[in-house]
Amino acid sequence: MHQAPNAMMNHGGHEVISMRETLSASIGMLNHAIILREHVQDPELLDILDRQYKFSLDEYNITVEAFRSGLDPSHPTGSYQMKLNHNFTYGLQPSQPKKPMTNASELNDEMISGYLLGGHKTIASGKTMTALETTNPVVRRVLADSIPNCIEMAYELSLYQNKHQYYQVEQLNGQDMQTLLNSFAPGQNQPMQ
């Protein structure tokens, strides 16, 4: 079995390629935030974008640091704290049908918050897939620690969208809801002999 000569070389080839994809996706999302920022109209969305950008940039930097060195980064992964409450409004209200833009001037806060939400969902999936096959324990931990932050930022954007009726949450009728809620039961503690 071949031993790596130093900390920088304790990465597998698949890991390095996956990390390139993950870090490139992070750059893409950060770049999108910069491009979209000047088009934001709502001060609340601008605050979310700015806070998430600052947090995501720091997380990107410590991930790069750990990846390049194979060692602990200069500071641990933080924990993103959103400002919105956790109250969703359920139900559907009539709204205009969604359709593709025909002109860039149609860009609005609904679209911007949707692009940012989609970016966090993509990054969370990419970091999860990469962490599952990362051989360097430090890089794996940095990735794993950052996934809950992606989830929290996406959740904050979905709350923002729901608050402004950009994202409506439908519910099933009472009988269907009860049927589905009761369609699972706890498993037994003892394995079958």
Side-chain angles (χ1 to χ4, degrees):
M1 189 147 92
H2 181 266
Q3 292 291 336
N6 62 47
M8 287 181 57
M9 295 304 295
N10 66 356
H11 299 291
H14 182 78
E15 171 185 347
V16 173
I17 292 168
S18 291
M19 282 298 295
R20 178 182 63 189
E21 294 299 317
T22 299
L23 292 170
S24 293
S26 294
I27 289 171
M29 185 170 161
L30 290 164
N31 290 347
H32 257 92
I34 293 293
I35 292 166
L36 295 171
R37 188 181 190 285
E38 70 182 68
H39 301 285
V40 173
Q41 299 297 309
D42 183 359
E44 181 181 27
L45 180 57
L46 188 60
D47 179 59
I48 292 169
L49 185 149
D50 286 345
R51 284 184 296 103
Q52 290 189 1
Y53 179 87
K54 181 180 178 184
F55 189 91
S56 296
L57 180 61
D58 181 63
E59 208 167 63
Y60 166 81
N61 285 335
I62 64 170
T63 304
V64 169
E65 185 181 345
F67 180 55
R68 290 177 67 175
S69 71
L71 304 172
D72 284 337
S74 55
H75 64 278
T77 305
S79 181
Y80 182 76
Q81 301 296 315
M82 66 177 165
K83 290 184 177 179
L84 294 178
N85 65 41
H86 297 260
N87 299 328
F88 266 93
T89 301
Y90 294 94
L92 300 176
Q93 299 295 322
S95 62
Q96 292 296 316
K98 308 272 189 238
K99 61 182 180 179
M101 292 188 321
T102 57
N103 189 309
S105 66
E106 297 174 52
L107 184 64
N108 60 32
D109 289 343
E110 178 179 3
M111 293 174 195
I112 292 168
S113 60
Y115 296 147
L116 296 171
L117 173 59
H120 285 300
K121 291 165 74 172
T122 298
I123 299 295
S125 296
K127 286 180 177 181
T128 301
M129 294 298 290
T130 301
L132 293 172
E133 296 184 339
T134 296
T135 58
N136 179 288
V138 173
V139 176
R140 185 199 58 75
R141 190 194 72 244
V142 169
L143 287 171
D145 288 350
S146 72
I147 294 165
N149 293 318
C150 296
I151 294 168
E152 201 71 2
M153 287 186 271
Y155 185 60
E156 181 177 40
L157 286 161
S158 67
L159 285 165
Y160 171 84
Q161 287 194 315
N162 179 256
K163 177 181 173 181
H164 295 277
Q165 296 185 341
Y166 303 151
Y167 174 64
Q168 298 185 42
V169 181
E170 67 279 350
Q171 285 190 312
L172 301 173
N173 68 46
Q175 182 179 349
D176 290 346
M177 185 72 81
Q178 280 304 309
T179 299
L180 288 172
L181 288 172
N182 294 319
S183 63
F184 297 93
Q188 299 297 320
N189 286 337
Q190 300 293 329
M192 293 177 54
Q193 298 291 328

